Amino acid sequence: MAGHVTVPSSTKVSSLRALPPSAKLVVKTLEYEGRLTQAELVESTRLPDRTVRYALRELEDEDLVTSRVSFADARQRVYSLTTAES
């Protein structure tokens, strides 16, 4: 999925505009790198853990990001952009 660019709907674009810059950075990182855990997002974005956690919560509330339990480590969640099929 890395490198696969999706075009968000106009509703999602307007939802994204209202979000803080940290949430926008998380979206861009997921867009370019694909599915990531919260720890991987912290490393990629260089944002504090608390900021990434807040951004993910906001993005999930807006249905821009989905999370699933990681198959590699059930204690972690893997985040990805919401697609039209989701």
Side-chain angles (χ1 to χ4, degrees):
M1 178 155 195
H4 182 264
V5 178
T6 58
V7 178
S9 69
S10 60
T11 305
K12 290 185 180 187
V13 169
S14 62
S15 296
L16 191 57
R17 283 190 184 134
L19 293 173
S22 59
K24 294 172 188 172
L25 178 57
V26 167
V27 167
K28 276 296 181 191
T29 303
L30 288 172
E31 184 177 80
Y32 288 113
E33 296 187 26
R35 297 181 187 129
L36 297 172
T37 64
Q38 182 177 329
E40 291 169 331
L41 280 165
V42 167
E43 185 178 324
S44 292
T45 62
R46 299 189 180 263
L47 293 170
D49 185 53
R50 183 177 176 181
T51 303
V52 170
R53 192 169 46 249
Y54 174 77
L56 288 169
R57 189 171 49 245
E58 292 291 312
L59 290 166
E60 282 187 300
D61 288 348
E62 294 292 330
D63 291 325
L64 295 168
V65 168
T66 58
S67 66
R68 291 194 167 76
V69 174
S70 170
F71 291 119
D73 184 351
R75 296 171 296 175
Q76 295 184 358
R77 299 196 66 78
V78 177
Y79 296 89
S80 60
L81 293 178
T82 304
T83 60
E85 302 89 48
S86 296

